[in-house]
Amino acid sequence: TEKFKMGLEKTRDSFSGKLNALVARYRNVDEDFFEELEEMLIMADIGVNTVMELIDELRDEVKLRNIKETSALFEVISEKLVAIYEEAGEVETTLNINNDGLNVILFVGVNGVGKTTTIGKLANKLTKEGKNVMLAAADTFRAGAIEQLEVWGDRVGVPVIKQKEGSDPASVIFDALQAAKSRNVDVLICDTAGRLQNKVNLMNELSKVRRVIERELPNAPHEVLQVIDATTGQNGLQQAKVFGEATDVSGIVLTKLDGTAKGGIALAIRRELQVPVKLVGLGEQIDDLQVFDSNLFVYGLFG
Ligand code: GDP
């Protein structure tokens, strides 16, 4: 909880700082106040549609409750943000990992978003929870990706199944599934290539990988996690849409939340993609991976 709050420091400072300034400037709720509030929320990357809706709801609430002073709106805004997040769907953010048998987690996302780091962090977290973890180096495209995953494998002490650079990702996944089955692995975490330049290739590659997983293991993959870099704001959302078209995504990992004032993107993602944020990256260290909690998140914005 403390880590989660600390990781949101930049977003919170910017968000509640601006909100405080706004409330100090406009004591009474009026049209100008709403306009500035709208602008401020858009800057926090909550997403234009979500902001419009929020502002409409706030206007209604102001009328309904006959609210005159802007300071009375703090609580209403936070309540509305939580509601907006939660009404987008169930807030189940725990990973779908069963206690018996092999679980497969597929990671997707554009290069540089923090995919490899997140895989390393998750492998560490699961290992600490007593799971037998294995990694599959199916990003055979990016130079150095396999070695980078091996560094994490060594660090955490888990095996990495690989082939040489340029080999068929589906073949790596096939090998990894066989190895995982024979070695009684609980969780197989699969890296995949993140090039977006060629959407058709990306789609073909991901669907081939998925087909292998689905064929080799019923009910797998158990999770398809897309990693999004929070510092890229609305761009990250666009990337997510492209991946969403390429493959079904079951959850989002929002990385680098510690490095941005635009943490509102978590709400935009939830709203526009209908996919829950399941994990957040709050730093470069191995322990800087946390389960996402929407209440903690929204209230974290207000300090
Ligand atoms: P990949 O290309 O998607 O596999 O990205 P990497 O895992 O190599 O990460 C790219 C950079 O982002 C590295 O310098 C990581 O240390 C850094 N990074 C990853 N996650 C986080 C995070 O949650 N917070 C911060 N501040 N940096 C991160």
Side-chain angles (χ1 to χ4, degrees), residues 3 116-128 151-157 280-290:
K3 267 205 172 158
T116 317
T117 308
T118 304
I119 291 173
K121 289 173 179 174
L122 182 62
N124 180 61
K125 183 171 153 53
L126 294 172
T127 302
K128 278 189 169 167
V151 169
W152 277 104
D154 287 345
R155 226 174 130 184
V156 180
V280 289
L282 298 168
E284 296 187 272
Q285 303 308 312
I286 198 163
D287 286 327
D288 296 333
L289 184 75
Q290 301 272 314

Side-chain angles (χ1 to χ4, degrees), residues 133-138 145-154 157-163 176 183:
V133 178
M134 178 182 271
L135 307 181
I146 300 169
E147 290 76 12
Q148 204 191 336
L149 198 68
E150 283 187 298
V151 169
W152 277 104
D154 287 345
V158 298
V160 178
I161 303 300
K162 58 165 188 177
Q163 292 178 8
R183 292 193 224 169

Side-chain angles (χ1 to χ4, degrees), residues 210-236:
R210 265 192 99 116
R211 273 203 307 278
V212 171
I213 295 173
E214 283 161 10
R215 191 186 63 211
E216 296 301 312
L217 194 70
N219 300 322
H222 300 76
E223 290 280 1
V224 179
L225 299 180
Q226 177 174 6
V227 183
I228 297 179
D229 177 344
T231 64
T232 63
Q234 294 288 321
N235 261 337

Side-chain angles (χ1 to χ4, degrees), residues 166-186:
S167 56
D168 179 5
S171 156
V172 177
I173 296 287
F174 180 84
D175 278 358
L177 282 162
Q178 308 315 314
K181 283 180 195 169
S182 69
R183 292 193 224 169
N184 282 321
V185 165
D186 300 310

Side-chain angles (χ1 to χ4, degrees), residues 110-118 121 142 148 255-258 281-284 288:
V110 177
N111 290 336
V113 293
K115 194 153 37 92
T116 317
T117 308
T118 304
K121 289 173 179 174
R142 179 169 69 88
Q148 204 191 336
T255 58
K256 311 188 197 180
L257 258 186
D258 54 305
L282 298 168
E284 296 187 272
D288 296 333

Side-chain angles (χ1 to χ4, degrees), residues 78 97 161 170 190 281:
S78 51
I97 295 177
I161 303 300
C190 309

